[in-house]
Amino acid sequence: MRAQFHLALPCEDIEKTKDFYINILGSTQGREADKWIDISLYNNQLTFTEAGTFSFDFKNYKLGDNILPAFHFGVIVSIDEWGKLYSKLFQSHLEVTTEATFMENKIGEHLSFFIKDPNGYMIEFKSFKNNLEVFAS
């Protein structure tokens, strides 16, 4: 079954959030009001509501030789889209972290990188070597 997801998250500043997702990541804007905005991230709905200052305890975990953020969300894209986005973000001088191949030569092999949005959320962009292995074990 294919379905879109909806994720609602607090944010500190609507305008900074809007600028990051639309002007930096190239997402499109949906509905908005004074204190919230819908963003289409690869045709999935992110709703950000301005909530002021908040914090998360960013605990990490280890996968292979990499330390990864336990709290993150992500999008699975084609290898072409992954490469274009990685190049664009890397050239924009934003901090792109943990660019790596995971599960190398195993079921589920994929490329990933992480970037932090203006609210402190870590976003992972993945591209699987074989899309049929996204949920395979």
Side-chain angles (χ1 to χ4, degrees):
M1 169 179 37
R2 288 204 52 85
Q4 297 167 298
F5 74 81
H6 160 74
L7 182 61
L9 300 166
C11 73
E12 291 187 20
D13 184 299
I14 288 287
E15 290 306 314
K16 286 181 182 175
T17 301
K18 181 177 177 178
D19 180 63
F20 177 81
Y21 283 90
I22 293 171
N23 297 322
I24 294 175
L25 290 185
S27 300
T28 56
Q29 179 182 327
R31 297 169 293 168
E32 71 175 324
D34 289 343
K35 297 288 184 184
W36 63 268
I37 186 170
D38 283 341
I39 300 292
S40 174
L41 182 65
Y42 294 93
N43 207 30
N44 294 287
Q45 184 187 51
L46 296 179
T47 300
F48 289 99
T49 303
E50 194 168 83
T53 302
F54 61 92
S55 66
F56 293 96
D57 185 7
F58 285 105
K59 299 206 183 293
N60 300 316
Y61 69 98
K62 189 171 183 178
L63 180 59
D65 293 329
N66 297 287
I67 303 296
L68 303 175
F71 180 77
H72 68 273
F73 64 93
V75 180
I76 300 168
V77 296
S78 71
I79 190 65
D80 291 337
E81 181 67 19
W82 188 94
K84 285 190 276 189
L85 188 58
Y86 180 82
S87 294
K88 176 184 175 181
L89 295 173
F90 189 78
Q91 291 172 9
S92 72
H93 305 293
L94 292 170
E95 185 180 357
V96 176
T97 63
T98 319
E99 184 273 319
T101 299
F102 294 102
M103 313 295 288
E104 193 165 15
N105 298 317
K106 297 179 182 171
I107 294 172
E109 180 176 336
H110 62 279
L111 293 170
S112 284
F113 71 85
F114 290 82
I115 188 163
K116 189 182 290 190
D117 85 354
N119 303 295
Y121 297 119
M122 295 299 289
I123 308 166
E124 179 180 17
F125 292 92
K126 293 183 177 190
S127 180
F128 279 80
K129 185 175 181 180
N130 180 344
N131 285 334
L132 297 175
E133 296 180 353
V134 170
F135 294 104
S137 58

